[in-house]
Amino acid sequence: VKTTQSTEGNVFAANDATSGYPLLFGIQSGSPYVSDGGDKQFPPVVNDDQWHLLTYVRSGNTGYLYVDGILQGTYPSNFTWTTPVVTRWSIGQEWDATPSDFYVGAVDDARIYNSALSEAEVAGLSGRTQPFDKPF
């Protein structure tokens, strides 16, 4: 993403038929955030009008948020894709009862994978080619 947005803007949103949202992923107060029952905000500030790779990974019941290939935080994630059933997917806004929470900026190469990416895979997507240590 590339943005100067300081208000809430959803880069990606999944809504159900009753306008609920199992998952929102975007920018809030200039930093990445995830909402799947409660907002979780992560550093760093990314509204500097520079390109940043934002990556959200869900593995089991844990959500992972990466910025530019570097893990910024984890949290217990409680959404499901099946209850309620997601009926609307959007990039650049949330589509609840009407379009809202518009993202202001550029989005390039949006992807959804059917399996959880590893830390090394996320690092590779960001262009990191140097080895990095992982704690024991």
Side-chain angles (χ1 to χ4, degrees):
V1 299
K2 182 178 180 182
T3 187
T4 58
Q5 184 157 5
S6 59
T7 58
E8 179 180 354
N10 292 313
V11 175
F12 171 84
N15 288 96
D16 63 29
T18 64
S19 298
Y21 57 89
L23 178 64
L24 303 175
F25 177 49
I27 305 296
Q28 190 171 51
S29 302
S31 297
Y33 88 102
V34 176
S35 183
D36 66 355
D39 288 356
K40 294 104 181 146
Q41 198 158 349
F42 298 89
V45 170
V46 295
N47 65 343
D48 57 3
D49 204 25
Q50 301 295 312
W51 282 103
H52 294 280
L53 175 66
L54 301 183
T55 309
Y56 171 76
V57 174
R58 166 82 181 270
S59 181
N61 290 327
T62 303
Y64 301 80
L65 194 309
Y66 297 84
V67 176
D68 298 326
I70 299 170
L71 180 64
Q72 298 299 318
T74 64
Y75 71 96
S77 180
N78 57 16
F79 79 90
T80 68
W81 295 115
T82 56
T83 307
V85 175
V86 173
T87 58
R88 293 183 293 266
W89 305 81
S90 54
I91 295 175
Q93 67 184 21
E94 179 187 3
W95 190 284
D96 43 20
T98 59
S100 62
D101 298 324
F102 295 98
Y103 167 76
V104 178
V107 175
D108 183 44
D109 199 12
R111 302 178 185 188
I112 299 174
Y113 292 88
N114 65 355
S115 62
L117 298 178
S118 69
E119 185 173 4
E121 289 170 321
V122 173
L125 288 174
S126 74
R128 291 178 59 195
T129 58
Q130 299 298 316
F132 57 94
D133 292 333
K134 291 179 68 174
F136 292 101

